[in-house]
Amino acid sequence: MAQASEIFPGSDTDARVKEIKGWLKSKGVRDFEPVSLFCDQLSKDTVAEIEKLEDSFTANKSSSGIKKAIVKGIPRQAVLKPAHAMYRLQNQEFALGDRVTMVQDSGSVPLSAKGVVIGLNSKSMDVVWDVPFMSGVTLGDRCSMYRGSTVEFNTCLNLTNPQFVASTHPKAPPPPPKAPFNPRFGPYPAVRPTPGQPAASGFRPAPPMYVI
């Protein structure tokens, strides 16, 4: 770790360090939210507004408004079974602010819980849910206690951009395959490795060679 005397010439280096700390505190630099270069996420203020909207949805719900319905004429292959979600929902795409619902019955998030996507990672997404649950977290103080969690893409159903479509015809052909959703954030290296090869840390292109 660098010493104050190595950075500031002179004798009163500790006073210079205290002066800089005071300036950073007065400008609110310490309150900046750390964000990774390899993810995309909403700010704390936006997440707080989303939670208020979700709370209003929950407050307006009542048990009398829930009605039972009998659905007929739907083939079994058109029904999404929670145990099959990880296989049938591999190709969905998500964006910040998308409304999602949990369709997997195993894990920390309750089945059929609804929420909003507030962060996208390379293999998972951060969701703030409508109601708190025991295994919920704050996602690094970005949301309220017990309201957030990080889940994989194939555990939720996208309600804002519906993409899981199954035909009700029993002999309908399966939908064409689609590439899995794999978002890429952050800066790309100057020289990318060949497909299938990991990037070398600190890799730099070789200098040009001239033949005389």
Side-chain angles (χ1 to χ4, degrees):
M1 182 180 295
Q3 301 293 328
S5 57
E6 299 176 359
I7 301 175
F8 303 107
S11 58
D12 198 4
T13 56
D14 293 337
R16 295 287 301 277
V17 173
K18 291 181 180 180
E19 181 181 353
I20 292 175
K21 288 183 177 180
W23 181 85
L24 292 175
K25 186 176 181 180
S26 63
K27 298 298 182 181
V29 178
R30 288 187 175 183
D31 299 331
F32 285 170
E33 182 180 354
V35 179
S36 173
L37 292 175
F38 300 96
C39 70
D40 191 9
Q41 65 186 38
L42 299 176
S43 63
K44 290 183 179 179
D45 297 337
T46 305
V47 174
E49 293 296 329
I50 292 175
E51 287 190 28
K52 291 180 181 179
L53 189 60
E54 290 177 334
D55 293 339
S56 65
F57 291 158
T58 306
N60 294 331
K61 288 182 179 179
S62 62
S63 57
S64 60
I66 301 177
K67 299 180 180 180
K68 294 183 179 180
I70 299 177
V71 180
K72 297 181 179 180
I74 303 298
R76 58 187 302 177
Q77 69 270 12
V79 179
L80 178 62
K81 189 177 181 180
H84 299 165
M86 62 182 300
Y87 306 107
R88 304 185 68 181
L89 299 181
Q90 294 184 0
N91 303 327
Q92 287 188 115
E93 296 183 0
F94 296 90
L96 294 179
D98 279 353
R99 187 80 167 151
V100 297
T101 181
M102 174 58 64
V103 294
Q104 199 172 53
D105 56 358
S106 61
S108 59
V109 183
L111 179 65
S112 74
K114 292 183 176 63
V116 177
V117 178
I118 63 171
L120 289 173
N121 309 307
S122 58
K123 299 294 183 180
S124 60
M125 58 184 176
D126 301 332
V127 180
V128 57
W129 303 96
D130 292 0
V131 294
F133 53 97
M134 289 300 298
S135 301
V137 296
T138 62
L139 295 174
D141 295 330
R142 286 189 289 148
C143 64
S144 302
M145 186 70 72
Y146 307 116
R147 291 286 293 269
S149 68
T150 301
V151 296
E152 296 183 1
F153 298 129
N154 56 12
T155 61
C156 293
L157 193 65
N158 195 330
L159 301 178
T160 302
N161 182 16
Q163 302 162 57
F164 177 72
V165 180
S167 176
T168 57
H169 195 279
K171 296 183 179 180
K178 183 180 177 183
F181 181 54
N182 187 19
R184 174 64 166 84
F185 309 104
Y188 284 89
V191 178
R192 303 182 188 181
T194 57
Q197 297 295 327
S201 177
F203 176 79
R204 296 292 184 272
M209 299 180 62
Y210 300 97
V211 179
I212 300 177

